[in-house]
Amino acid sequence: MKINIFSGKYNSILHPFHLENLDQLSEFIKNKDSDLSFNEIKQITLEILKFLLENNIVYVLENSWMTNKDFKETTLSNKEIVDKINTNWFEETSWEEFYFMLWFKFQDWYRDKLVDIGLVNKPIDWNEFVNKKIGDLEKWIEENRPKE
């Protein structure tokens, strides 16, 4: 299943002030597609997380900031992160295990660039913000992402 994160259905995942963990990401997907099976939700969630990691939009924390306020970035590779989740996430996984399985933070470059053009940490219409301030979000990310 190939997901277009820039489509109207999923693009608000790219709003940097409302998702912080794997549980929230999968719940967002469930709310968009209530008829999906567990395996479909898992596949879409992992595909979106992989995209966010590979495009340097988020980084994964070594721990949950709920238990430790240190935003220390994990040393695992993006592939190791996705593989670890895939291996440990089952339909029978308890809510608590899943909630603490993976926490992430949006990269400073991404959040700061959006703030520079008017994003504030309060409820907004993300699609309207993107249309008025950015236009082509995919192109904007490519142009503004730090070059390695």
Side-chain angles (χ1 to χ4, degrees):
M1 182 178 301
K2 183 68 178 158
I3 300 301
N4 179 1
I5 196 167
F6 298 102
S7 73
K9 187 179 204 176
Y10 293 115
N11 76 344
S12 58
I13 286 171
L14 294 163
H15 186 308
F17 296 129
H18 73 105
L19 295 174
E20 300 174 309
N21 64 36
L22 192 62
D23 178 60
Q24 292 170 343
L25 180 57
S26 70
E27 283 299 318
F28 177 91
I29 292 161
K30 282 184 214 175
N31 289 334
K32 294 293 181 183
D33 288 310
S34 59
D35 295 333
L36 293 175
S37 70
F38 167 79
N39 286 332
E40 291 169 319
I41 291 168
K42 181 178 178 180
Q43 181 181 0
I44 293 168
T45 301
L46 292 176
E47 187 174 327
I48 289 172
L49 178 63
K50 183 178 176 184
F51 170 86
L52 294 171
L53 290 167
E54 288 176 350
N55 285 279
N56 196 27
I57 295 170
V58 301
Y59 66 89
V60 171
L61 303 173
E62 275 192 349
N63 50 38
S64 159
W65 73 264
M66 298 289 288
T67 57
N68 183 338
K69 303 292 186 203
D70 180 18
F71 287 129
K72 188 171 182 185
E73 189 171 350
T74 186
T75 57
L76 296 175
S77 72
N78 294 343
K79 182 180 180 344
E80 289 171 322
I81 291 166
V82 172
D83 288 349
K84 185 175 179 180
I85 294 165
N86 192 40
T87 301
N88 293 303
W89 181 13
F90 303 99
E91 198 163 2
E92 300 79 23
T93 303
S94 74
W95 176 82
E96 185 175 16
E97 286 176 305
F98 187 61
Y99 186 77
F100 290 106
M101 189 176 289
L102 180 105
W103 284 72
F104 55 84
K105 185 173 184 296
F106 280 81
Q107 295 281 2
D108 290 342
W109 77 264
Y110 182 74
R111 196 179 52 258
D112 292 347
K113 293 274 187 183
L114 289 169
V115 168
D116 288 348
I117 60 171
L119 184 66
V120 292
N121 191 1
K122 67 178 186 177
I124 64 160
D125 181 328
W126 175 250
N127 290 327
E128 182 179 329
F129 175 82
V130 169
N131 288 336
K132 287 184 176 179
K133 301 281 188 168
I134 296 173
D136 185 336
L137 184 57
E138 186 173 11
K139 182 179 175 185
W140 182 89
I141 289 170
E142 184 61 37
E143 290 172 352
N144 287 279
R145 176 176 57 218
K147 308 300 181 237
E148 295 180 20

